[in-house]
Amino acid sequence: MPSELPSPPATLQVQQRASLREYNTFGLPALAATLVHITSEADVRRVVDHPQYGLARKFILGGGSNVVLTRDIDAVVLKIEIPGLRVVDETAQGWVIEAGAGESWHGAVAWSIDHGIPGLENLALIPGSMGASPVQNIGAYGVELKDRFHSLDAVDLITGRSVTLGAAECRFGYRDSVFKHSGFGGLAGKSVITRVRMFCAKPWQPVLGYLDIERRMAETGIRTPDARTVFEWICAIRRAKLPDPAVIGNAGSFFKNPVVTPEQCKDIIGRDPEIVHYPMPDGSVKLAAGWLIDACGWKGKSVGRAGVYDKQALVLVNRGGASGAEVVTLARAIQESVYGRFGIRLEPEPIIV
Ligand code: EPU
């Protein structure tokens, strides 16, 4: 008897010609030829074993807060929706929190604060999903994910095998990790992050050395805020200067803050003494990309229906009905003017598809 190919398991939820507009925080129009909702590790293995999807190219979509979609996607889109939030360990040293990759990052931060676990508060209100947080090594207000990272589980898209990776294997850098690189040793598009674990150390040490936080401390007279207070301050600070993607489409900071040598920085300061810059531990200097873009006069400007947010020049926004191409055209125009004036090439933070 001829052997039959196994039919797709009933539990694999698949949509054909699915709109991705609701699934990217920029609200850009694009279609996925095939979209598979991944709600468990087993779903990833079902995709790997599937007669068509197994060998097809894959595109992994988390919260869609770090992509600019400029075209329809013919790769099989894996929409990661794995749920779950729990404390997996508590010792005298701290807590280990585990989250399914489909949980919202901010939801997990709020959950940890509600459960009396301090440590993630500076990372409140960062858009996107738990599974995307290590890809980007998200960071804000003096804390990066890598500072609270414990480990993650991922499933290999070729073998279907599960692996657990520690921080060293994730090769975290500034808004960077092994999951952003597709060359030799890189894991971009090769494995699906299914669970992420964070470590929140005891005793809690608040990170308060950021200008906006110091300002809140001075305004309120609270010198020793608890984690919930810091959480609420961060939410208020972000709401005041960053657009809510539910209201105005955006992908957070559009460019990375460029890092230059001290000599380059000296040269730029000579010409523009007010430039905002931060010395780094290794002797290099990080420049505020928002300041560079602002200095070139871009704040509030638009190209077509894509624009530069009027309260923070580092954030590009969809003013309503923008296409990915318009966003990319605007980004290129900004890159050219910053290069023309400062000789610095800005590197986009989101992945342009
Ligand atoms: N600035 C301007 N004009 C602007 C924007 C900024 O002059 O239009 C100046 C500010 O006055 C400030 C400096 O640039 O002196 C830095 O601005 P800000 O404090 O807003 O931080 P950022 O460097 O622009 C980074 C992260 C944000 C994170 C904040 C807070 C990157 C690419 N961005 O922004 O992360 O929330 O610090 O820690 O590193 C994200 O990655 O999506 C993101 C929002």
Side-chain angles (χ1 to χ4, degrees):
M1 258 182 64
S3 63
E4 279 181 11
L5 284 174
S7 54
T11 48
L12 207 53
Q13 300 167 58
V14 180
Q15 277 175 272
Q16 308 294 345
R17 290 187 59 75
S19 167
L20 297 175
R21 194 193 291 268
E22 299 295 314
Y23 296 150
N24 74 100
T25 60
F26 246 120
L28 300 171
L31 288 179
T34 304
L35 183 137
V36 185
H37 296 269
I38 301 291
T39 59
S40 65
E41 281 201 2
D43 274 354
V44 185
R45 279 188 283 275
R46 287 185 185 107
V47 169
V48 172
D49 293 338
H50 190 276
Q52 286 115 42
Y53 310 152
L55 292 175
R57 275 187 310 114
K58 319 280 191 311
F59 179 83
I60 301 159
L61 186 62
S65 63
N66 206 41
V67 285
V68 181
L69 298 174
T70 63
R71 56 180 171 80
D72 293 343
I73 301 187
D74 52 14
V76 173
V77 175
L78 306 182
K79 172 87 178 63
I80 311 301
E81 298 170 358
I82 301 170
L85 273 172
R86 60 187 183 131
V87 177
V88 286
D89 195 20
E90 183 183 353
T91 64
Q93 278 70 49
W95 297 265
V96 179
I97 299 172
E98 183 184 80
E103 292 288 338
S104 98
W105 170 265
H106 176 72
V109 175
W111 180 93
S112 67
I113 298 294
D114 287 345
H115 284 73
I117 302 174
L120 301 178
E121 56 286 338
N122 289 46
L123 302 174
L125 269 191
I126 294 183
S129 66
M130 186 52 70
S133 63
V135 177
Q136 275 286 92
N137 182 25
I138 57 171
Y141 307 100
V143 180
E144 283 183 325
L145 176 87
K146 74 171 170 55
D147 305 322
R148 302 287 181 269
F149 183 78
H150 179 279
S151 57
L152 61 80
D153 298 336
V155 179
D156 187 293
L157 279 172
I158 303 287
T159 63
R161 282 211 343 249
S162 294
V163 286
T164 296
L165 303 184
E169 292 150 303
C170 291
R171 289 196 249 139
F172 291 122
Y174 167 57
R175 297 295 190 277
D176 196 29
S177 77
V178 72
F179 298 99
K180 270 189 132 175
H181 296 266
S182 50
F184 180 72
L187 292 177
K190 294 180 191 160
S191 68
V192 173
I193 296 169
T194 52
R195 285 183 197 284
V196 180
R197 285 172 291 277
M198 271 89 47
F199 179 69
C200 295
K202 293 180 189 174
W204 174 57
Q205 284 181 335
V207 179
L208 305 171
Y210 197 93
L211 190 64
D212 286 329
I213 301 179
E214 284 170 357
R215 216 173 269 150
R216 295 269 155 171
M217 287 165 69
E219 279 164 17
T220 59
I222 303 173
R223 305 304 305 175
T224 52
D226 60 11
R228 179 171 289 282
T229 303
V230 178
F231 171 82
E232 279 160 10
W233 284 350
I234 298 288
C235 290
I237 292 165
R238 289 187 74 96
R239 285 198 178 108
K241 67 175 169 192
L242 296 170
D244 176 355
V247 182
I248 304 172
N250 76 92
S253 299
F254 196 91
F255 298 101
K256 294 185 190 183
N257 284 330
V259 178
V260 298
T261 63
E263 294 71 37
Q264 273 176 299
C265 186
K266 220 161 132 195
D267 175 53
I268 298 170
I269 291 174
R271 284 179 281 136
D272 286 276
E274 313 88 77
I275 193 163
V276 178
H277 61 287
Y278 317 95
M280 304 298 284
D282 65 358
S284 59
V285 182
K286 196 182 262 186
L287 304 176
W291 188 93
L292 299 171
I293 299 167
D294 199 358
C296 290
W298 278 103
K299 210 183 241 178
K301 296 274 167 60
S302 297
V303 165
R305 289 153 294 174
V308 179
Y309 193 51
D310 50 8
K311 293 186 203 138
Q312 167 42 303
L314 194 49
V315 178
L316 304 193
V317 295
N318 181 349
R319 298 214 192 276
S323 66
E326 281 174 313
V327 174
V328 171
T329 304
L330 172 61
R332 290 216 179 104
I334 292 170
Q335 282 171 313
E336 272 168 34
S337 65
V338 168
Y339 185 74
R341 172 151 172 204
F342 299 102
I344 290 170
R345 288 185 200 284
L346 291 181
E347 201 187 313
E349 207 193 89
I351 295 157
I352 295 168
V353 181

